[in-house]
Amino acid sequence: MQKVARLRREFVVAGLFFLVGLAATIALASDGRSPFRAHTKVIAAGCHAGFVREDGHCARLGGLEGPIESFTLAEQRAMKQTAPFQTVAEGAFANAMAQRAKKQKLGGSWSPIGKTPLHADSPEYAGTDPVVNSGPSMLGWKNLSGRITAFASDTGNPNRVFAAPATGGIWESTTGGGSWRSIGDRIPSQAMGGVAYSAANGGTLIVGTGDNAVGGIFTPSGLGVYTSRNDGVSWTKSTGVPDGLTAYKVVVDPTNPQVSYVATSKGLFRSADDGASYVNANLPTGACAGDTSANAQCTFANTVSDVAVQSGSGAVIAVVGWAYGQAKTKAGIVMSPQNGIYTSPTGQPGTFTFQDPGASQPTKNGFAPTPVVGRTTLAIANGNGQNHDVVYALVQDATKLSNCLNPDLDVPICTATGNEVLAQATYLDGMYESSNFGKSWTKVMTSDQLRVPGNGSALQIGVLGYGPGIQSWYNNWIAVDPTATDPGTKFPTRIVFGLEEIWENALPRPVTAPTQWKVIGRYWNACLLLAAGTNCSNTEVIPGTTTHPDQHAGTFVPDGVGGVTLLAGNDGGTYKQHLQAGQDFSNDNWSDLNTGLNTLQPYDAQIAKDGTVVAGLQDNGEMKITPSGREDMIFGGDGFFTGIDPDNSQRIVEEYAYGRVAGTTDGGKNWAVIDPQLTGPQFSTPLTLDPQNADHLQAAGREVVQTRYPYTMHCVGVSSIPPAVCPSYDNWTTVFDLGTDPVLGKNRSSTAGDLYGNSSYVGYCGPCSARTAAMFRSGIATNAGGSAPGSFLSSSGWHLAAAKGLPQRYITSIWIDRSDATGKTVYVTLGGYSSHWIPPGATGEETLGVGTGHVFVSNDAGATFTDISGDLPDAPADAVVPVGGKLVAGTDVGAFVSSDGGTTWNLLGDLPAMPVVNFEIDPSNAKRIVAATYGRGVWAFTFS
């Protein structure tokens, strides 16, 4: 968001510059041809949105993103799975996994490319600016991996810990995080929401699937709960928990390990047999209590965002915490009428009580009013000798979020309450403390307290609408240190919580009233435009290291001799800090635990002949993998599509959100920003480097643009002028305008593309979201097979193809057949599910064009398409490539191969059931393919 794309924030630090001589929209003729004429785009070389002028050049602001960006990213990924609908039908993903399970595995083994961690601190990629340039090597981040959603530890061995990456299965370390190994490859869903360890039956791991980061609406749902009693050798699905949900937390009763609970998007579930079976606890949420069906009235009403169990008694406290609270859907349905706290003395179904605070201030029990309660997390004082009635709750404000809805996407478009002032740059309500297990509460922290000068936050003044808690709907956790206890009151003396940064109470005493708070894991070490207390005085950067921003998981692991380790999981992987008794946390004492944690989330991967690989990563910028396997971040922020000159690996092109392109001629040490300033681009914009000519690059939003200067800024008038003094550049030529859809007038937007010699294709959508007006359209544009021969940098031949036989779903990839000199043979993959899986509630949405199949071929430049999906599992497909007479397809459930043109498909090699989102043929070995997997990094497979 980020996806999650992960929303985070983008600074608008300079004025917007406009194109010189931008052509007006050209209406398409009825035959699909266009009189459009190619024209050069002259673009002012000032710093565009998201960049700042520093030392004579434009530099990205260290990877910060806009508060809307995680939503936008997640929405785009969701549309690949759902379009033309808003949701996926229940059972569709489970059916695809069942089809996968029946497939024979062919071929040998896949090999990982690169060795984590991803190094983000190499001086080689620092450039000239130590604060905000392409490689954030001085921002305090060192070694990274992918986003973590949950941790667990072996109660009998503090060095044995487990991590649940967002889309990377389950990983185990027996060295306290010093090294890792994957033990979750056999779990059908690799999307993770929670993990817990039970000491029962010799040790049991309990895993809740489904990535919960973006409220569970756009991120991947799961397939229920799984257990393993043999350290991941095998996994068994628990009964009683439905598929298609998102897990928020798995917790084991600390007194009775046979009892466990799973908080999910469909309610709270309880097991009394070590996770073998679960029953719905039926929280009394109103008319929707216990409803796990596809009933649109109850979709969000039972979203349990956290649960905790009291040591000794087994009493349970849970919170219904849908991020939007009582906001209404377009159909007028109140999403979650009764967010809030629920308690039970036993946890048995039917024994929970809603602790009703009332709807307005002052509330009846001191807790946040019911309409205010959004995503909420809990922490109990369960340590030895602590008062187990003490509970803390960290509450996101649902009213702030719901007041900022985008009418097209149903997502927030403003950074806080709609009034863009610094004091409101947050979605956080605050923290509450209860001394009687949830019956009454005291507010002990407001969002304003996190902006007090000198607290160490890098976000404290909320510049341009980005302050502490702005992402509390997306990442939000709280934990009580079980080893820090006041000897008199038995109250805990250390409370830690995670938002964008990691916070701790500043004074080591019980937190029962408003108190001071300090950051112990700041966002980054930059001071430009931000403040980090007094540390930023007269300095460019704060020395030392810190954690990666955006905290998703945290837990304390006592060492058994009075000390404790805090594990923190965020968009950059896993971190820890250990304390001996009497010590305190510090921002300077973090250790990253990302060695061997191969959980990066690339969208694309490309390879040069010398073995250098580049990949665009969610949350972690542009990665370069050297032939020796070292991974370096060479450009910050989110990375997406990328390219590398096969014959010169020093020449690399990458893109940031919305197609903001940058190029380098020295392997990533210095960059030229050549943003084409596209109209209506996707968040992840198709970018294609011609494998026949590495000086030819294509990108597309509404317009299709091409350049013969991918790696440097081509200054208008005198191309040799350095970018630092160039007033304007003319790298890009617009060769086609996709126009608008004829019904709603929405911009068409490219979702996929390919470029090979003079042949070019783009796939597009418009409207691109069923959330707009129950409408989705897709199609193909090309310069092949047109009224005139197509050529690079020319509008000749460009037209909208008829695309007969191609269903109306999201076009995820296009591959021009390299063996067809005419450029008329092209392969296309589609997202979504076939028409067998039209979701309930799709009434009013268009269903006739859904069709079946996921892999298609055209031999007439897109005029007609043939379905070659055969018996490929019915799951979203993201990539296809012909290799040595075979076809290889990448899908949300793995990689598959066909040797008969697409009639029969089998599993290719030994990859787990994870999304395979891109393929590229190794230019030095036509039998070797490179794959980008969303959650497990980059892999390669060589055919015999």
Side-chain angles (χ1 to χ4, degrees), residues 100 110 872 888-897 905-916 919 929 931:
R100 171 195 159 96
W110 289 82
L872 186 71
V888 181
T891 76
D892 276 9
V893 295
F896 298 84
V897 61
W905 295 84
N906 288 288
L907 282 166
L908 178 61
D910 53 357
L911 284 181
M914 58 190 179
V916 179
F919 291 122
I929 57 174

Side-chain angles (χ1 to χ4, degrees), residues 26 65 100 137 157 173 177 292 375 520 595 602 629 666 712 909 938:
I26 306 297
E65 305 162 356
R100 171 195 159 96
S137 64
N157 179 2
S173 174
T292 62
R375 183 166 186 162
I520 59 171
T595 299
D666 57 12
T712 60
V938 182

